[in-house]
Amino acid sequence: MLYSIQELFKLIDQHKSSDEFYGKFTGGLGTDYYINRITRFNPEENRIICGFGEEIPLSGLDIEKKSISIKENEAILFLYNLHNEDFMIDRQRSINDILEFMYSTGGIQNEFWGDIGIIYKNQRKKCYVRTQSGNLVMKDDITKTKITDIKSAYRIELV
Protein backbone atom coordinates (compact mmCIF):
# COMPACT_ATOMS: atom_id res chain seq x y z
CA MET A 1 0.00 0.00 0.00
CA LEU A 2 1.15 3.51 -0.74
CA TYR A 3 0.36 6.48 1.48
CA SER A 4 1.09 10.14 1.10
CA ILE A 5 1.87 11.99 4.31
CA GLN A 6 -1.46 13.74 3.98
CA GLU A 7 -3.38 10.46 3.53
CA LEU A 8 -1.62 8.94 6.52
CA PHE A 9 -2.51 11.82 8.83
CA LYS A 10 -6.12 11.77 7.63
CA LEU A 11 -6.33 8.14 8.75
CA ILE A 12 -4.61 8.88 12.07
CA ASP A 13 -6.77 11.92 12.78
CA GLN A 14 -10.16 10.27 12.31
CA HIS A 15 -12.68 11.07 15.03
CA LYS A 16 -12.65 8.65 17.95
CA SER A 17 -15.79 7.58 19.74
CA SER A 18 -15.90 8.20 23.48
CA ASP A 19 -15.78 4.47 24.28
CA GLU A 20 -12.43 3.96 22.53
CA PHE A 21 -9.45 3.69 24.88
CA TYR A 22 -8.01 7.08 23.86
CA GLY A 23 -11.40 8.56 22.91
CA LYS A 24 -11.27 11.47 25.35
CA PHE A 25 -7.73 12.60 24.60
CA THR A 26 -6.98 13.16 20.90
CA GLY A 27 -8.35 13.08 17.42
CA GLY A 28 -9.76 15.92 15.43
CA LEU A 29 -6.62 18.07 15.59
CA GLY A 30 -6.50 18.17 11.82
CA THR A 31 -4.05 17.05 9.19
CA ASP A 32 -2.62 20.58 8.93
CA TYR A 33 -1.74 20.48 12.64
CA TYR A 34 0.45 17.39 12.26
CA ILE A 35 2.03 18.52 9.01
CA ASN A 36 2.84 21.90 10.56
CA ARG A 37 4.49 20.08 13.50
CA ILE A 38 6.88 18.23 11.16
CA THR A 39 7.48 20.97 8.61
CA ARG A 40 7.09 24.12 10.73
CA PHE A 41 5.44 25.52 7.64
CA ASN A 42 3.77 28.88 8.09
CA PRO A 43 1.99 30.15 4.96
CA GLU A 44 2.63 33.79 5.93
CA GLU A 45 6.43 33.45 6.03
CA ASN A 46 8.52 34.73 3.13
CA ARG A 47 10.79 31.68 3.03
CA ILE A 48 8.77 28.66 1.97
CA ILE A 49 11.49 26.15 1.11
CA CYS A 50 15.05 26.05 2.36
CA GLY A 51 17.89 23.59 2.74
CA PHE A 52 20.31 25.35 5.05
CA GLY A 53 21.39 22.96 7.82
CA GLU A 54 19.78 24.34 10.97
CA GLU A 55 16.92 26.01 9.14
CA ILE A 56 13.77 24.02 8.59
CA PRO A 57 14.38 22.01 5.40
CA LEU A 58 10.95 20.36 5.31
CA SER A 59 8.87 23.49 4.81
CA GLY A 60 8.16 22.68 1.18
CA LEU A 61 7.49 18.97 1.65
CA ASP A 62 5.13 17.55 -0.98
CA ILE A 63 2.44 16.16 1.32
CA GLU A 64 0.33 14.75 -1.50
CA LYS A 65 2.98 12.61 -3.17
CA LYS A 66 2.47 8.90 -2.57
CA SER A 67 5.79 7.89 -1.10
CA ILE A 68 5.27 5.81 2.04
CA SER A 69 5.17 2.14 1.09
CA ILE A 70 3.74 -0.42 3.53
CA LYS A 71 3.82 -4.16 2.84
CA GLU A 72 0.64 -6.25 3.00
CA ASN A 73 1.13 -7.57 6.57
CA GLU A 74 2.82 -4.47 7.99
CA ALA A 75 1.03 -1.96 10.18
CA ILE A 76 1.66 1.64 11.16
CA LEU A 77 1.97 2.66 14.81
CA PHE A 78 1.30 6.29 15.76
CA LEU A 79 2.35 7.53 19.21
CA TYR A 80 1.34 10.97 20.47
CA ASN A 81 2.88 12.47 23.61
CA LEU A 82 0.15 14.44 25.35
CA HIS A 83 2.49 16.59 27.44
CA ASN A 84 4.72 18.09 24.74
CA GLU A 85 2.75 17.28 21.56
CA ASP A 86 5.61 15.24 20.11
CA PHE A 87 4.63 12.27 18.01
CA MET A 88 6.16 9.54 15.93
CA ILE A 89 4.99 7.11 13.31
CA ASP A 90 6.70 3.73 13.03
CA ARG A 91 6.35 0.86 10.59
CA GLN A 92 5.72 -2.43 12.38
CA ARG A 93 6.08 -5.94 10.93
CA SER A 94 2.59 -6.98 11.99
CA ILE A 95 -0.41 -6.29 14.19
CA ASN A 96 1.04 -8.80 16.66
CA ASP A 97 4.13 -6.60 17.08
CA ILE A 98 1.87 -3.64 17.83
CA LEU A 99 -0.12 -5.64 20.38
CA GLU A 100 3.10 -6.78 22.02
CA PHE A 101 4.15 -3.15 22.36
CA MET A 102 0.74 -2.10 23.69
CA TYR A 103 0.86 -4.75 26.43
CA SER A 104 4.40 -3.70 27.41
CA THR A 105 5.14 -1.08 30.08
CA GLY A 106 5.80 1.44 27.30
CA GLY A 107 2.37 0.83 25.76
CA ILE A 108 -1.09 1.59 27.13
CA GLN A 109 0.21 1.93 30.70
CA ASN A 110 2.47 4.83 29.69
CA GLU A 111 0.83 7.92 31.18
CA PHE A 112 2.51 10.21 28.64
CA TRP A 113 0.78 8.74 25.58
CA GLY A 114 -2.24 10.80 24.67
CA ASP A 115 -2.92 8.51 21.75
CA ILE A 116 -1.76 5.29 20.21
CA GLY A 117 -3.10 4.91 16.69
CA ILE A 118 -2.90 1.87 14.47
CA ILE A 119 -3.27 1.89 10.69
CA TYR A 120 -3.66 -1.53 9.11
CA LYS A 121 -4.75 -2.38 5.57
CA ASN A 122 -5.61 1.24 4.84
CA GLN A 123 -7.88 1.64 7.90
CA ARG A 124 -7.52 3.14 11.34
CA LYS A 125 -8.13 0.39 13.86
CA LYS A 126 -10.33 1.32 16.80
CA CYS A 127 -8.73 0.38 20.12
CA TYR A 128 -10.80 -0.94 22.98
CA VAL A 129 -9.43 -2.21 26.27
CA ARG A 130 -11.51 -4.50 28.46
CA THR A 131 -11.08 -6.14 31.80
CA GLN A 132 -11.03 -9.92 31.73
CA SER A 133 -14.70 -9.78 32.81
CA GLY A 134 -15.53 -7.69 29.70
CA ASN A 135 -15.92 -4.16 31.10
CA LEU A 136 -14.56 -1.30 28.98
CA VAL A 137 -11.56 0.52 30.41
CA MET A 138 -10.37 4.02 29.51
CA LYS A 139 -6.84 5.45 29.57
CA ASP A 140 -7.34 7.14 32.96
CA ASP A 141 -8.34 3.83 34.55
CA ILE A 142 -5.08 2.14 33.59
CA THR A 143 -2.61 4.95 34.22
CA LYS A 144 -3.96 5.51 37.76
CA THR A 145 -2.80 2.07 38.87
CA LYS A 146 0.38 0.22 37.97
CA ILE A 147 -0.25 -3.39 37.07
CA THR A 148 2.68 -5.76 36.77
CA ASP A 149 1.00 -8.19 34.36
CA ILE A 150 -1.24 -6.09 32.14
CA LYS A 151 -1.86 -8.95 29.70
CA SER A 152 -3.56 -11.07 32.37
CA ALA A 153 -5.62 -8.10 33.64
CA TYR A 154 -6.77 -6.56 30.33
CA ARG A 155 -7.69 -7.56 26.81
CA ILE A 156 -6.84 -5.17 23.95
CA GLU A 157 -9.22 -5.31 20.98
CA LEU A 158 -8.37 -3.71 17.65
CA VAL A 159 -11.49 -3.41 15.52
Side-chain angles (χ1 to χ4, degrees):
M1 289 177 199
L2 293 175
Y3 296 95
S4 70
I5 292 171
Q6 190 171 34
E7 289 168 336
L8 191 56
F9 280 120
K10 281 182 181 178
L11 286 168
I12 288 168
D13 195 49
Q14 288 178 358
H15 176 73
K16 289 183 169 55
S17 62
S18 61
D19 58 345
E20 288 183 66
F21 186 69
Y22 289 101
K24 295 179 183 176
F25 291 91
T26 60
L29 295 174
T31 301
D32 286 344
Y33 167 82
Y34 292 112
I35 291 170
N36 184 28
R37 294 279 297 153
I38 62 174
T39 65
R40 303 288 192 253
F41 176 73
N42 180 347
E44 284 77 37
E45 288 181 9
N46 290 336
R47 179 166 291 155
I48 299 170
I49 300 173
C50 63
F52 301 124
E54 294 299 316
E55 292 190 44
I56 302 130
L58 294 176
S59 291
L61 188 65
D62 183 351
I63 60 171
E64 295 180 22
K65 183 178 179 187
K66 292 180 183 280
S67 59
I68 302 167
S69 178
I70 304 296
K71 295 177 184 169
E72 182 69 24
N73 290 326
E74 290 180 329
I76 297 172
L77 176 65
F78 169 79
L79 300 170
Y80 181 82
N81 187 320
L82 192 59
H83 298 289
N84 61 12
E85 297 184 352
D86 285 343
F87 61 88
M88 68 180 181
I89 300 171
D90 283 338
R91 176 183 290 118
Q92 300 290 310
R93 291 180 299 177
S94 68
I95 285 286
N96 290 334
D97 287 352
I98 288 177
L99 284 170
E100 186 176 313
F101 166 77
M102 291 177 78
Y103 279 117
S104 76
T105 55
I108 62 173
Q109 273 190 298
N110 185 330
E111 64 185 284
F112 298 109
W113 295 140
D115 193 6
I116 294 178
I118 296 105
I119 307 297
Y120 184 65
K121 298 195 185 249
N122 207 29
Q123 293 183 347
R124 181 184 70 82
K125 303 303 272 181
K126 293 180 179 181
C127 177
Y128 299 97
V129 178
R130 297 183 185 276
T131 61
Q132 292 301 338
S133 60
N135 297 326
L136 276 174
V137 177
M138 303 310 285
K139 178 189 183 310
D140 285 342
D141 300 326
I142 288 185
T143 55
K144 286 179 186 174
T145 58
K146 292 296 178 194
I147 298 166
T148 53
D149 186 11
I150 197 162
K151 201 168 191 175
S152 64
Y154 299 104
R155 184 177 70 244
I156 299 172
E157 299 173 357
L158 301 176
V159 181

